[in-house]
Amino acid sequence: NAGVTQTPKFQVLKTGQSMTLQCAQDMNHEYMSWYRQDPGMGLRLIHYSVGAGITDQGEVPNGYNVSRSTTEDFPLRLLSAAPSQTSVYFCASTNEGVLYTFGSGTRLTVV
Amino acid sequence: GEDVEQSLFLSVREGDSSVINCTYTDSSSTYLYWYKQEPGAGLQLLTYIFSNMDMKQDQRLTVLLNKKDKHLSLRIADTQTGDSAIYFCADRYTGTASKLTFGTGTRLQVTL
């Protein structure tokens, strides 16, 4: 009963590098989303998906890409990392939009 | 867009009650949530309330919702040191099952 799995848990990148944060859920949830958490700002929505093949932008999408080729996976791509993207990233999923399951987070540092 | 606001810090003595407040702007919110985050950890759902309810109680937790004033509160009875954490209020706007809007979080400090 894994729930939402995020990998890696920690990552350090150099400015300009690219990487993909992985998110997988095994609950057959239609809805998935990515948030970033910064001190004093709560969680802000980056991108979300209402089903395989459908994605949309959230509040802070710049610098990030997503795709949803399967129901289970919703990877978040940083195209060219910047220090402003240093944050903790959370992936979440829900089936009916009542109970949300969050992953344990990825702590990203861009130097 | 929708906005959710919380005070940043609350300090209470062990054994007292804690009340964490939240205001939101969207009158179309359907569900409102309280999450707890301990240092270095993810988000733990504490409780949630449907927008047509005024109150929900779950053991030491009581949620009050005033829809007219768009005000949500979380009361923790008999606060313990293990309750020290950041508490986030979040709302789900009608028709956006993928999207939660979070407050900035309230850091609860429990002193002996």
Side-chain angles (χ1 to χ4, degrees):
Chain A
N1 192 14
V4 175
T5 302
Q6 288 185 238
T7 55
K9 292 192 182 305
F10 300 94
Q11 183 70 49
V12 179
L13 286 180
K14 293 185 177 180
T15 298
Q17 286 185 314
S18 63
M19 79 159 293
T20 300
L21 279 63
Q22 302 291 345
C23 175
Q25 51 93 5
D26 61 357
M27 298 168 285
N28 204 32
H29 284 174
E30 289 295 322
Y31 304 100
M32 297 185 73
S33 45
W34 276 102
Y35 295 85
R36 61 176 287 174
Q37 182 182 19
D38 301 297
M41 300 187 75
L43 278 77
R44 293 180 293 168
L45 182 66
I46 305 171
H47 284 285
Y48 65 98
S49 169
V50 300
I54 306 169
T55 64
D56 207 344
Q57 295 182 352
E59 184 185 354
V60 288
N62 292 341
Y64 307 96
N65 275 358
V66 291
S67 59
R68 186 94 180 272
S69 55
T70 67
T71 300
E72 294 77 21
D73 300 299
F74 191 42
L76 178 73
R77 296 184 188 85
L78 280 70
L79 307 172
S80 177
S84 61
Q85 294 178 303
T86 294
S87 188
V88 181
Y89 292 84
F90 288 100
C91 178
S93 73
T94 182
N95 202 28
E96 298 176 347
V98 177
L99 295 180
Y100 293 76
T101 303
F102 282 83
S104 56
T106 295
R107 294 181 177 274
L108 176 68
T109 301
V110 183
V111 297
Chain B
E2 51 269 38
D3 193 21
V4 178
E5 294 191 356
Q6 302 176 238
S7 54
L8 290 179
F9 184 76
L10 176 67
S11 181
V12 299
R13 291 194 177 208
E14 189 178 41
D16 288 350
S17 292
S18 307
V19 179
I20 302 171
N21 295 301
C22 170
T23 58
Y24 60 97
T25 58
D26 205 301
S27 57
S28 298
S29 295
T30 53
Y31 290 93
L32 295 120
Y33 303 82
W34 284 104
Y35 286 89
K36 176 183 180 183
Q37 186 181 39
E38 297 185 38
L43 293 166
Q44 173 193 353
L45 177 65
L46 286 178
T47 186
Y48 68 97
I49 188 167
F50 187 49
S51 58
N52 68 352
M53 298 170 64
D54 297 324
M55 186 183 85
K56 182 177 181 180
Q57 189 153 1
D58 185 1
Q59 298 182 332
R60 293 191 297 124
L61 305 179
T62 303
V63 178
L64 295 178
L65 175 60
N66 182 328
K67 283 195 72 175
K68 174 176 170 290
D69 294 337
K70 299 190 183 69
H71 182 266
L72 182 75
S73 67
L74 173 70
R75 179 178 180 268
I76 305 172
D78 187 24
T79 311
Q80 302 297 308
T81 55
D83 295 323
S84 294
I86 300 176
Y87 291 80
F88 290 96
C89 168
D91 81 343
R92 200 208 94 176
Y93 180 58
T94 300
T96 58
S98 287
K99 304 196 296 185
L100 295 176
T101 300
F102 284 84
T104 54
T106 299
R107 182 179 295 276
L108 175 64
Q109 179 185 64
V110 182
T111 59
L112 298 174

